[in-house]
Amino acid sequence: MSEADMQDPVVGDVRRSRFAEFARNLDPDVRTALHFSDEAITGVDLLVSFCRTMMDQDHSMPWQDRLGELFEAFEPDGLETGLEFTLAQLQDTEQAKTWLSTFKGLNYQAFALRLLGAGPYRLLVEAVKQDGAVLALAIRRGMRALMPFAVAWSDAVSNMSVNQRKAVAKADVLGLEIVQGLIELDDAFGKKFISTLPMQLTVATADDLVGWQPDNMPEIVASIRQRVGESSARRLERENSQLVRKIKGARTALAHSEDGISQAANSLIELIDRIMREAFTKEEVLVWVGANLPDEPQMTFTDKDGKVQPTKRAEALCFVYRGGPTARDANEYDDGNGPTLIHDVFARVIVATRTRLQEFKHDDDGTPEEKEQLLCLLAGLEGVLMLGLSINQFGDSRDARLKELDA
């Protein structure tokens, strides 16, 4: 195969794997000697083509149509074979590591050079590197796509006190430095892979190629935190634009009002109360608690008139579950009893944030430290709203099962 033949293979409007194109043009006996099985070739072709298709932001077609066109470019049997091979590598990481180590070994490379000759071997290496660059870009973008959720989680958990964290099962999970870990992983990935591959041949942008440095963590987190706030605002606005105005009002009060901290705290308390009040009444919360978490502590109390009332935690749990069932199958990480870890954390963050806001409401000295603390509380609240709305679309409607229970 000549170098001129090694242009990006295209079927229809789908750009395919360079390695797969090279391997398919080899003599069958040579492919066998190099351990290029049909399943592996198709699997790599499908994976690289998928990454290219999903990262093509300049394409005029919606991503669903592009994906459909990609699948149509493969024969039905080949598509199934490629999917099975790819899933097998993802499910058995040790097998995947062994497979990759074989081809990276010096003995294998020397063997391939002798078998193919210098020219074709160089084309094979170039094809592998170009496919590798596509996959590396997809991995980096995938890791960075997790960052808003990591920042949101970190901000949300930071609103909880040490004792509140201890009250949550598997509290060690809450202490993980996810944000720092992602930044360090991005830095290492960039140095080991991104810097060694022909990224200029991909659709990588300047931002994709700039590695995140652990020393720049505050700037990175601040930028991501702004995106978290914007994301939660957009999602909230679809549900209730008045709630978005409460958040914006809190930020405005902090920025411009002489009595900004008290005003901002009041706005955020009203926001939390209104979100939960409009989702479920106290009577509905009690019905939900009785049906789902009757043995869970700190869910009800008796008021001065002798009437049973739901606690703020009960209201928050009902809200994050959308009034739906908490029942689930037990596994090695979860005994199936009580709320799940993530629902419990979301609910406790909401309650903890409201409790701490009450302190600002009644004890406002207007110091820069208080303003910074309130901004952290706001970031945590935005974080839990973004996570909850992204993962569970919580609190936006009353569940039909709850109405049946109430009836």
Side-chain angles (χ1 to χ4, degrees), residues 2 11 32 43 65 82 175 206-207 219 253 273 275 278 299 353 361-362 399 407:
S2 68
V11 177
T32 300
D65 294 340
D207 288 340
E219 292 83 357
D273 290 346
I275 287 175
E278 292 186 353
M299 299 296 281
T353 302
K361 181 179 177 181
H362 300 298
D399 193 272

Side-chain angles (χ1 to χ4, degrees), residues 22 26 28-37 102-103 108 111-113 115-116 124:
F22 177 90
L26 292 174
D29 291 337
V30 174
R31 284 204 305 269
T32 300
L34 291 172
H35 303 291
F36 293 166
S37 68
T102 299
F103 295 103
Y108 178 86
F111 169 73
L113 177 59
L115 182 64
L116 294 173
L124 170 61

Side-chain angles (χ1 to χ4, degrees), residues 62-130:
W63 69 266
Q64 298 94 329
D65 294 340
R66 280 182 277 149
L67 201 56
E69 192 175 69
L70 166 64
F71 291 153
E72 289 175 1
F74 286 81
E75 295 293 333
D77 291 345
L79 180 61
E80 183 177 353
T81 299
L83 285 172
E84 288 178 353
F85 176 84
T86 303
L87 290 174
Q89 305 311 307
L90 294 175
Q91 292 171 353
D92 189 347
T93 55
E94 290 303 318
Q95 176 181 319
K97 289 178 182 178
T98 301
W99 191 73
L100 290 172
S101 296
T102 299
F103 295 103
K104 289 173 63 178
L106 295 177
N107 290 337
Y108 178 86
Q109 293 178 25
F111 169 73
L113 177 59
R114 289 195 304 272
L115 182 64
L116 294 173
Y121 177 76
R122 178 172 55 81
L123 293 177
L124 170 61
V125 171
E126 290 177 358
V128 171
K129 285 185 175 181
Q130 290 192 33

Side-chain angles (χ1 to χ4, degrees), residues 259-309:
D259 193 28
I261 293 178
S262 290
Q263 289 186 23
N266 273 311
S267 291
L268 293 177
I269 291 171
E270 289 177 20
L271 169 66
I272 294 171
D273 290 346
R274 184 167 185 173
I275 287 175
M276 291 194 289
R277 183 173 64 247
E278 292 186 353
F280 299 97
T281 66
K282 293 182 181 295
E283 291 74 18
E284 288 171 328
V285 174
L286 287 173
V287 172
W288 179 83
V289 168
N292 292 276
L293 299 170
D295 300 322
E296 184 72 13
Q298 301 176 341
M299 299 296 281
T300 62
F301 70 97
T302 303
D303 64 17
K304 60 182 180 180
D305 297 323
K307 186 177 180 180
V308 176
Q309 300 283 2

Side-chain angles (χ1 to χ4, degrees), residues 10-42:
V10 178
V11 177
D13 199 26
V14 177
R15 300 174 70 200
R16 303 284 286 269
S17 159
R18 293 286 301 273
F19 162 77
E21 183 72 6
F22 177 90
R24 289 189 178 113
N25 281 281
L26 292 174
D27 182 273
D29 291 337
V30 174
R31 284 204 305 269
T32 300
L34 291 172
H35 303 291
F36 293 166
S37 68
D38 290 342
E39 295 82 4
I41 293 170
T42 305

Side-chain angles (χ1 to χ4, degrees), residues 147-148 150-152 154-155 177-180 182-183 212-214 216-229 379:
M147 195 61 168
V151 171
S154 177
D155 285 342
E177 295 293 340
I178 303 175
V179 173
Q180 182 178 342
L182 277 175
I183 292 175
W212 283 346
Q213 303 295 323
N216 296 332
M217 181 172 167
E219 292 83 357
I220 295 170
V221 170
S223 174
I224 298 294
R225 185 174 286 129
Q226 182 178 355
R227 289 168 51 191
V228 169

